Amino acid sequence: MPADSSVDTVRGRSAVPAVPPSRSGASRPTALRGPVGVVAALVVLAPVLLAHPGQRAAALLLAVMAAGAVLVAAVRWPRGRVTLIGAVSGVAAASLLLDLVYPGPYRLPAFWLPFEWAALLILAGRVVRRARGRWAGSAGALAVTAVVAVPLRFTVRTPNGGWTASVLAVLTSGVPLAVVVGASLYLRVLDARRERAVAKARREQRLEVARGLHDFVAHEITGIVLEAQAGQLPGDHGPEETAALLRRLEEAGLRALDSMDAMVGALREPHEDGDNGGGDGGADSPGAIGVPAGATGATRVYGLADLPELVGRFDRTGPTRARLEGAREATGLLSPEAEGAAYAVVLEALTNVRRHAPGAAEAVVRVETGAAEGGAAEGGAGAVVRVSVSNDGRAPGGVRGLRRLRDGGGSGLPGLAERLAVHGGTLESGPLEPAPLRPLGWRTSCELPVR
């Protein structure tokens, strides 16, 4: 199926793709950072050739320090086993050591100081924003100290400079440092929020996919299992009856495949499979689970108007008869999302009839309007729509040979209760006639306020 025809099968909403956007556009600038850093480091080293021969050793020491800081600031980390924390800690420690042991004339540091200071400032911002782990704080503190201290390499060695020049140098260096650190912390908070939002979106998407598989695919697979068990009953199955059974199995299997295709498509990037111009349908094609014939569009919402087809399909497959009462009167009273939740309740209840009560003779789906407790008249303030699915639990003779369908299978009703609560609704489920040993019949119902 084309990837761009995928829908959220449960709610009928366009699904958020789980595949992250392509980063091919950002790969070239990242690849150029290394060569650019090398060129910048060579440019910083070049003035050593112009230094006085007697000061060339001290100049080389200052130039190597500045060039190393520029290179580390330009390169993307980690590289191999060297992490950002390790690289920044090494450069900052070397800079602080040079501040203490610099042996040359006091004027010489002034030339390379701006390059080293700017590189250390960039590294301080990067480690504050990006670094993680137990040593991130130590690396950040080391980088901040190096940024503040590097101007002192010049001021403390200036004759008759006094403390005034050093204090001014520290303040001048500290103001932009505070701005960079503050901006980096703010961006780090934004990054953390974005990561939490992405993690939450992915978790919700997985829950949506799991709910869709439970609600729709399990519904059809249960029907297939029931039909296959019915076909194994002793008796004379004529060619026409066998052909009809196989046709129903094929249709249910295709609908289950369509639903699974929709689930997989919801996890793909739109258009990732290429052009859709020659597509031959998708998750919205007629016959998909929960999608009535003729329904198209990625925003299809399944509601009360779709119950006749759902109940009719249930009635045509399996031994349990099904009928619908009163759906037309309630159509349009609920919001589309609330109708989708009510539709899911009916689907879950009918699936449970097949799985847990294969001997039921009849299932009745009833939709009615009324007033909530303490509410006004129907259709007005306080009005509600009640949707219920009940079965009698009686076992007709024709299905006594069927094996019981497997137990377990998820948490459909708790999930539906949470979904209904979002729209102000409630969910109830229990036996029609409680009995000491085995209850007779079962009823699942929900109540939603009229919008």
Side-chain angles (χ1 to χ4, degrees):
M1 58 170 284
D4 60 351
S5 64
S6 63
V7 297
D8 185 327
T9 311
V10 179
R11 300 191 182 185
R13 296 180 285 108
S14 298
V16 179
V19 181
S22 174
R23 297 185 178 181
S24 58
S27 60
R28 181 172 297 179
T30 300
L32 292 176
R33 289 176 62 172
V36 169
V38 172
V39 172
L42 292 176
V43 170
V44 173
L45 282 172
V48 173
L49 301 175
L50 304 177
H52 189 276
Q55 301 176 351
R56 191 162 292 171
L60 181 61
L61 186 62
L62 294 170
V64 169
M65 182 66 248
V70 168
L71 181 60
V72 171
V75 172
R76 184 180 180 89
W77 301 96
R79 297 184 71 86
R81 295 185 178 182
V82 182
T83 64
L84 175 62
I85 292 177
V88 173
S89 299
V91 170
S95 176
L96 291 172
L97 181 62
L98 186 58
D99 294 337
L100 296 175
V101 302
Y102 171 68
Y106 72 91
R107 290 189 181 92
L108 205 55
F111 180 81
W112 283 279
L113 187 147
F115 301 102
E116 183 180 347
W117 179 85
L120 289 172
L121 185 64
I122 293 173
L123 290 175
R126 287 178 64 183
V127 76
V128 169
R129 181 181 178 186
R130 302 291 187 188
R132 300 178 185 275
R134 59 178 181 174
W135 297 109
S138 300
L142 200 62
V144 168
T145 304
V147 173
V148 174
V150 71
L152 300 179
R153 190 184 305 164
F154 171 75
T155 60
V156 297
R157 291 176 173 84
T158 303
N160 302 320
W163 290 101
T164 304
S166 297
V167 172
L168 290 176
V170 170
L171 292 177
T172 303
S173 181
V175 171
L177 177 63
V179 173
V180 170
V181 170
S184 299
L185 287 174
Y186 175 72
L187 293 175
R188 187 184 182 103
V189 171
L190 292 183
D191 291 340
R193 290 179 180 176
R194 182 169 60 251
E195 290 174 1
R196 289 194 297 268
V198 170
K200 181 180 178 181
R202 288 176 176 173
R203 183 172 59 254
E204 291 178 349
Q205 188 179 55
R206 288 194 296 268
L207 292 175
E208 290 291 338
V209 172
R211 189 179 298 126
L213 290 173
H214 179 276
D215 289 349
F216 295 94
V217 179
H219 175 78
E220 296 299 342
I221 297 299
T222 301
I224 292 173
V225 173
L226 191 61
E227 292 278 14
Q229 290 179 350
Q232 299 177 44
L233 292 176
D236 185 15
H237 302 287
E240 294 183 359
E241 185 177 352
T242 301
L245 174 63
L246 293 176
R247 185 166 53 252
R248 291 195 299 269
L249 290 174
E250 178 187 17
E251 292 174 352
L254 289 175
R255 288 194 297 266
L257 287 175
D258 286 339
S259 289
M260 286 188 285
D261 284 343
M263 294 296 119
V264 174
L267 299 177
R268 293 175 180 164
E269 176 77 9
H271 307 292
E272 75 169 357
D273 287 341
D275 186 14
N276 189 34
D280 56 355
D284 300 318
S285 56
I289 298 303
V291 183
T296 58
T299 58
R300 181 69 170 90
V301 177
Y302 319 121
L304 300 180
D306 304 317
L307 291 180
E309 181 177 351
L310 176 64
V311 175
R313 190 163 64 241
F314 181 90
D315 183 69
R316 293 190 299 269
T317 58
T320 304
R321 301 299 91 191
R323 57 188 173 91
L324 175 65
E325 298 179 357
R328 293 184 178 180
E329 292 76 3
T331 301
L333 295 179
L334 302 175
S335 65
E337 293 78 11
E339 286 203 12
Y343 180 92
V345 169
V346 176
L347 182 61
E348 172 70 13
L350 292 178
T351 302
N352 287 340
V353 171
R354 280 180 169 169
R355 296 181 62 183
H356 305 299
E362 184 181 45
V364 179
V365 180
R366 182 174 290 105
V367 182
E368 56 188 357
T369 59
E373 294 183 4
E378 296 185 8
V384 296
V385 172
R386 298 185 181 92
V387 180
S388 64
V389 181
S390 58
N391 68 87
D392 53 17
R394 292 191 299 268
V399 296
R400 286 177 181 172
L402 291 181
R403 296 188 300 273
R404 179 178 176 82
L405 294 179
R406 70 182 185 93
D407 293 326
S411 55
L413 292 178
L416 287 173
E418 296 177 1
R419 185 172 172 183
L420 290 167
V422 173
H423 306 289
T426 58
L427 179 69
E428 295 181 357
S429 184
L432 287 176
E433 298 180 16
L437 297 179
R438 185 177 181 180
L440 179 63
W442 196 267
R443 183 174 183 269
T444 300
S445 62
C446 70
E447 185 175 286
L448 287 160
V450 173
R451 59 178 176 179

